[in-house]
Amino acid sequence: MLGQMQDWPLRVSRIIDHAARYHAGRAIVSRDGDGVVRRATWAGVRDGALKAAQALTRLGLRRGDRVGVMAWNTARHLELWYGVPGAGGVTHSLNPRLFADQLVYIVNHAEDRFLVYDADLEGVVAAIAPRLETVEAFVRIGETDAPRIDALSYDALRDAEDADFAWVEGDEGEACGVCYTSGTTGDPKGVVYSHRSNVLHAMAMIQPDMLGLSSRDVLMPVVPLFHANGWSTAFSAPMAGAGMAMPGRNLTPPALFEMLEQGVTITAAVPAVWLGLLDHLRREGLRFSTLNRVVIGGSACPRAVIEAFQRDYGVTVLHAWGMTETSPLGSFASLKPEVAALPPEARLDVQCKVGHPPFTVDLDLRDDFGEPVAWNGESRGRLVIRGPGVLKRYLKAERDATDGAGWFDTGDVATMDALGYVRIVDRTKDLIKSGGEWISSIDLENVAVAHPDVAEAAAVAVAHAQWGERPVLVVAPKPGAAPTRAALLAHMGRHFAPWQLPDDVLFVENLPHTATGKLSKLTLRRQLEAQGYRLPSA
Ligand code: ADP
């Protein structure tokens, strides 16, 4: 017997309809391309999205066509976030910080027919335009003094429309957006989200133990919408009726602080952003007026950052884990009652883990033979994941990326405890194997950045004749500080056995980062090689 309830396809257009209908006037504060901070509303964003959909349809967009969007977090970007799938298209979010060759590869691979971009990215787009094989029209958001591309004007196209448009309806399983993995190991791979996966993932994310969003919140994604589906923020905020603050391209600590003071209650970014902001707050003696929680993920959040936010600023840290392939959020370190009851230090230990999954996400551990690993908080295994927001197959791949039971191997090594809290030990490829024992690069880095003179630190393996691999630590000191090798090793010696300590400590002004603001171990390894270090083979 079938249920007899209504058929209501889970399409993302319904999210913006809901926000515009029931939370019409909620503010979207946006630092636009010209640097000016303006206020929009959900009703206004929906109106713009309808016009964008109308304009794209007039340009010839057909159902399923990919539209490249290379833009900072602004209200305009939100219009396209809903306008493209609302017109039946598929948003392909492009990270302008990728190498030109990578951008060319992914635009050609996804077969983008249109490319919409922020005017200040004219140079980035112009540099790749001649090699783009499928793009038929370029659309520029905002003005540029030095046009290098024969592009249409987004504002002119949009303002010529009247918003008399009906969202394209269809199956909830249709594609809605594409995001490519960063390609740290080979060519980037396309992850194709469906309307359904985005809606279900957003519903899971607004739950109290995850983002915990309500209409009383104002969410500011510092994480760009082009990084891993924007961590769901542009779907979950309007779904919850929350307001948003969109910080635009200027992510310097003073600019971020100014935007946070626009009533923001919750914000999200990778750890590197918060290291910079905390330093700025301390030096300027600033305090937040409305911020009460901060989501930190994308790479391991140092304990010192969690501690500083909570102890010095009264802001709760939600340490989260996820990946492009998982929509992206898979777990949040919110406090179950057993954890909330712990003394502060023990509670902090749990917050350094990446937490537990929401309904719709299944997490587990496997050993090298595919057998389950015990959830005892000690035993390490490969973290595997499954659920309706988890990748099944990469774009144009010939085989599924999952095993027979639907599990996707994350490439992370983790432990799980009896309460289901996951601790990321390391990425498989970043673990340092010394004399048959594994050393976690994340553990070394976290302890190093807890030293008061250290701004950032990265640990990588170098080849060693006797031990196979040994750790080398590369440290960026805080401005004006000059930590010594001996002081650092003494500090780290309090947390590690002697064999786990780095053989070498090198000091640099800045560490290299990836296009999404994470430490780039790939670049770092190349730099070490250039300095004469031998890298482990494969
Ligand atoms: P990229 O390869 O560009 O970093 P993703 O953003 O999809 O692509 O990265 C996903 C990976 O980031 C995860 O597999 C994991 O290794 C790492 N990661 C994400 N969040 C955390 C976290 N909170 N702690 C440790 N590692 C994390």
Side-chain angles (χ1 to χ4, degrees), residues 31 76 115 197 221 257 268 309 345 359-360 380 398 413 447 481 520-521:
R31 192 192 296 279
R76 285 279 191 282
L115 204 164
S197 73
F257 183 74
F309 266 115
E345 280 303 305
F359 175 65
T360 65
R380 296 168 173 197
E398 284 171 5
V413 175
V447 169
S520 174
K521 300 222 170 152

Side-chain angles (χ1 to χ4, degrees), residues 4 36 52-53 82 88 124-125 151 170 226 240 243 276 288 295 317 356-357 365 371 379 418 446 510 513 530:
Q4 299 191 9
V36 177
Y82 287 97
V124 177
V125 177
F226 53 72
F288 301 113
V295 181
V317 170
H356 53 99
L365 299 176
E371 296 300 323
S379 307
N446 276 344
N510 289 300
H513 292 93

